[in-house]
Amino acid sequence: MIFFTPRSAIPGVLAAVALLSSALPGLAAGFTAEQAEAGKTAYNANCAQCHGMQLEGPEAPGLVGPDIMANWDTPGGLYDFISVAMPPSAPGQLGAATYLDIIAYIMAFNGAQPGPDPLVEDEEKLAAISLTAETAAGPAGGAAPASDSMAADTNVPQAFTWGKPLPGGPAVDTMQTSAAAASSIPQAFTWGKPLPTVE
């Protein structure tokens, strides 16, 4: 028996399919395979020195595992941070496309599947993607999640942002900057260079 869908019902059917696919993990990650591949190159050049080739975080917080994905919640949360504070040698200087590529790679490494649409610098679209849902399949290649000690270390000292305020954080003029706070940053984050101070 053959069933036909009336033409007037097609938009409703398409909307239902789109809604269902966005609710299923791994089907609507919001990045392309090309983006993730470009992100791998950018990550290896700008991030791996501290965060590790396997995102395990030997010198900085790890970027793999469900706890890390839940900590950032959405690609928007991750973008808001890294586009201001990373990499330590040139914070905020990589450009939106490169930061988005790196996020795509981090998502893919954590098990999210690429789709037809790239990540774009759109606050609403980035906030609509759940990192936890998209990465529910787990890290690619069975990579081990970051250790608990690394996963818990997500409080980045303000000096690490070179005086730029973090999204949702206090304004620069209300922040305390002390020598003690500056000295608490692992030397690996500064590549042996002194950190600038906020006046």
Side-chain angles (χ1 to χ4, degrees), residues 119-164:
L119 280 177
V120 293
E121 190 181 13
D122 180 308
E123 188 175 327
E124 287 183 15
K125 289 182 180 180
L126 291 175
I129 299 169
S130 167
L131 290 177
T132 304
E134 293 301 332
T135 60
S147 69
D148 289 342
S149 62
M150 284 297 184
D153 185 15
T154 56
N155 183 21
V156 179
Q158 184 60 33
F160 190 39
T161 69
W162 271 246
K164 297 178 184 178

Side-chain angles (χ1 to χ4, degrees), residues 10-11 25 33 41 45 50-51 63 77 80 87 116 129 133 148 166 171 173 194:
I10 290 176
T41 301
C50 289
H51 293 282
L63 299 171
D80 285 348
I129 299 169
D148 289 342
L166 292 173
D173 59 354

Side-chain angles (χ1 to χ4, degrees), residues 164-176:
K164 297 178 184 178
L166 292 173
V172 172
D173 59 354
T174 64
M175 289 180 285
Q176 296 178 346

